[in-house]
Amino acid sequence: MSIIAVFLFFLYCWGIGFTATYYLKKPEHSWEKHLLNLGVGLGIIPILLITLNFLHISLDWKIIFALSVAFPFYILATKIKKKEFSFPKLQLKKSDLVIFAVVLIAAFSFYIYAKGAFSYPYLEDEDPWGHSVGMKFVSMEKYAYDPPLKTPNENIDPVLSYIDPYPPAYDALLGILHQTSPDLPWTMKFFNALIISLGFIFFYLFANELMGSRNKALLATAILAMIPAYLSHFIWAHSLIITIFFPLMYALHKSMEDKRWLYLVV
């Protein structure tokens, strides 16, 4: 297990989400605010990676790290300089229990997905093997376009040929994580299960915003987690697509009261 890669994953998501939503109206509850940062950040990272790739900027974890922490560090330094920084007080509220229950649902789901994925050492079917090649290519080359043909008669790589039009957001994300987590099968299985499980938390945030009731949102999240056909440990880009759909819908709904949220939608 690569503790560093797990830590960096949450840092990437939270830092980019914090940067994107700093001037926007967010939930008053502190835990919901931080969890929302994770969801928004995870939704922005694919676009960021594709943009960097289009601009021919190296897809290196150090660049993503710098982009993630630059603005949060600036805000922290500014508050310390103005003597406005203080550690939040830990006070247990009723709403905290709901958030704790949602996190438990996500943790239990992660256990199920990860247990199934790690029950055997292999990658199943075609999609995981294709993503593993793309992931390794991004990790090593720090680039996510299909290698150009050396001669007009050269055949396109049958595995990497889809990486240009896919687009390669899922492979690029896993490739960045693979740069700090050397075990490729473990990286794919662990983060695929983690991304799926985080989706339940992001769904709760959207449901709470939509219905205006934490209890109803919690019930809806529990029902979603019980649906066998929701997602599985199968490793493919749908894991990321479905998960970031919920932060997208949150931003879209939020834009009805604050038009600035539309910048995250478009």
Side-chain angles (χ1 to χ4, degrees):
M1 178 176 181
S2 177
I3 300 296
I4 295 177
V6 176
F7 171 77
L8 288 174
F9 171 79
F10 284 104
L11 182 63
Y12 299 152
C13 295
W14 182 88
I16 293 175
F18 175 88
T19 302
T21 63
Y22 184 75
Y23 296 105
L24 302 179
K25 184 180 179 181
K26 293 184 288 185
E28 295 181 1
H29 192 282
S30 60
W31 286 108
E32 290 183 1
K33 187 183 304 182
H34 292 306
L35 293 173
L36 179 62
N37 286 339
L38 287 177
V40 172
L42 183 59
I44 292 176
I45 285 177
I47 301 174
L48 175 62
L49 293 175
I50 292 174
T51 302
L52 293 176
N53 193 63
F54 176 77
L55 297 174
H56 296 276
I57 297 175
S58 179
L59 298 182
D60 191 292
W61 74 269
K62 292 183 287 296
I63 294 177
I64 307 302
F65 173 81
L67 293 174
S68 304
V69 302
F71 187 73
F73 276 172
Y74 168 76
I75 296 298
L76 177 62
T78 301
K79 288 188 174 182
I80 292 177
K81 184 177 180 180
K82 295 181 179 180
K83 298 182 179 180
E84 298 176 351
F85 175 78
S86 61
F87 290 99
K89 297 179 180 179
L90 296 178
Q91 295 179 343
L92 186 62
K93 303 177 182 178
K94 182 179 179 181
S95 56
D96 293 331
L97 298 178
V98 176
I99 295 296
F100 182 68
V102 173
V103 173
L104 278 181
I105 291 174
F108 182 69
S109 300
F110 172 75
Y111 171 78
I112 294 175
Y113 293 128
K115 182 69 174 178
F118 286 101
S119 61
Y120 49 86
Y122 312 107
L123 297 175
E124 72 283 357
D125 212 342
E126 181 181 0
D127 283 88
W129 287 103
H131 285 303
S132 69
V133 175
M135 167 187 173
K136 174 62 74 173
F137 177 79
V138 172
S139 176
M140 296 178 64
E141 300 296 330
K142 301 178 181 179
Y143 190 65
Y145 284 141
D146 193 37
L149 301 180
K150 297 179 180 178
T151 62
N153 297 326
E154 183 183 4
N155 293 326
I156 298 177
D157 188 299
V159 177
L160 282 174
S161 59
Y162 77 94
I163 201 169
D164 286 351
Y166 203 83
Y170 186 66
D171 289 356
L173 174 59
L174 292 179
I176 291 294
L177 296 170
H178 185 35
Q179 292 173 1
T180 53
S181 177
D183 190 331
L184 186 147
W186 181 91
T187 303
M188 292 191 69
K189 293 181 177 184
F190 180 89
F191 285 105
N192 186 76
L194 179 60
I195 289 172
I196 292 174
S197 302
L198 287 174
F200 295 112
I201 297 178
F202 306 150
F203 171 80
Y204 162 80
L205 296 174
F206 166 60
N208 182 33
E209 175 66 24
L210 181 66
M211 296 185 288
S213 171
R214 287 189 173 89
N215 293 332
K216 291 180 181 179
L218 174 60
L219 177 61
T221 304
I223 294 174
L224 178 64
M226 289 187 289
I227 299 177
Y230 172 63
L231 282 171
S232 70
H233 70 273
F234 192 73
I235 302 171
W236 57 351
H238 289 65
S239 303
L240 178 62
I241 294 170
I242 300 299
T243 297
I244 64 178
F245 174 76
F246 301 127
L248 172 65
M249 295 306 296
Y250 180 98
L252 185 61
H253 187 272
K254 202 72 174 176
S255 67
M256 291 189 292
E257 61 179 82
D258 185 351
K259 298 300 182 182
R260 292 178 299 174
W261 279 92
L262 284 175
Y263 291 109
L264 300 181
V265 177
V266 298

